[in-house]
């Protein structure tokens, strides 16, 4: 499965250690499941310096958004 990231979002992701990335992806809130889920089939964009992941709940397929704030 290929991830779709804008160049800026890809550069942002490069700064995040892989183990942290995995933890962030496993901590997305799904409103349909009313709980934490894993985001899958996501794309990445940058908004206001933060990384926005738009994807889907791995359990139910509901649209899920994960915001990853810039550390700086
Ligand atoms: Zn769900």
């Amino acid at each position: 499965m290929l991830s779709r990231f804008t160049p800026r979002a890809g550069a942002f992701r490069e700064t995040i250690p892989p183990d942290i990335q995995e933890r962030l992806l496993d901590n997305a809130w799904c409103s349909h499941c009313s709980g934490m889920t894993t985001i899958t089939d996501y794309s990445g964009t940058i908004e206001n310096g933060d990384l926005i992941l738009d994807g889907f709940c791995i359990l139910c397929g509901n649209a899920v958004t994960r915001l990853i704030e810039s550390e700086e």
Side-chain angles (χ1 to χ4, degrees), residues 29-37 56-64:
W29 176 263
C30 176
S31 57
H32 184 262
C33 295
S34 293
M36 302 311 281
T37 185
F56 301 92
C57 172
I58 204 168
L59 299 175
C60 73
N62 192 53
V64 169

Side-chain angles (χ1 to χ4, degrees), residues 43-62:
S43 58
T45 54
I46 296 290
E47 253 177 57
N48 300 319
D50 298 326
L51 177 59
I52 311 284
L53 300 179
D54 281 308
F56 301 92
C57 172
I58 204 168
L59 299 175
C60 73
N62 192 53

Side-chain angles (χ1 to χ4, degrees), residues 1-4 41-42:
M1 174 174 49
L2 290 173
S3 298
R4 304 170 302 280
D41 195 22
Y42 51 86

Side-chain angles (χ1 to χ4, degrees), residues 10-27 42 53 68:
F12 187 111
R13 183 170 64 167
E14 291 292 306
T15 69
I16 307 173
D19 56 323
I20 304 291
Q21 284 187 40
E22 209 161 296
R23 202 173 69 199
L24 292 168
L25 295 173
D26 285 341
N27 283 280
Y42 51 86
L53 300 179
I68 299 175

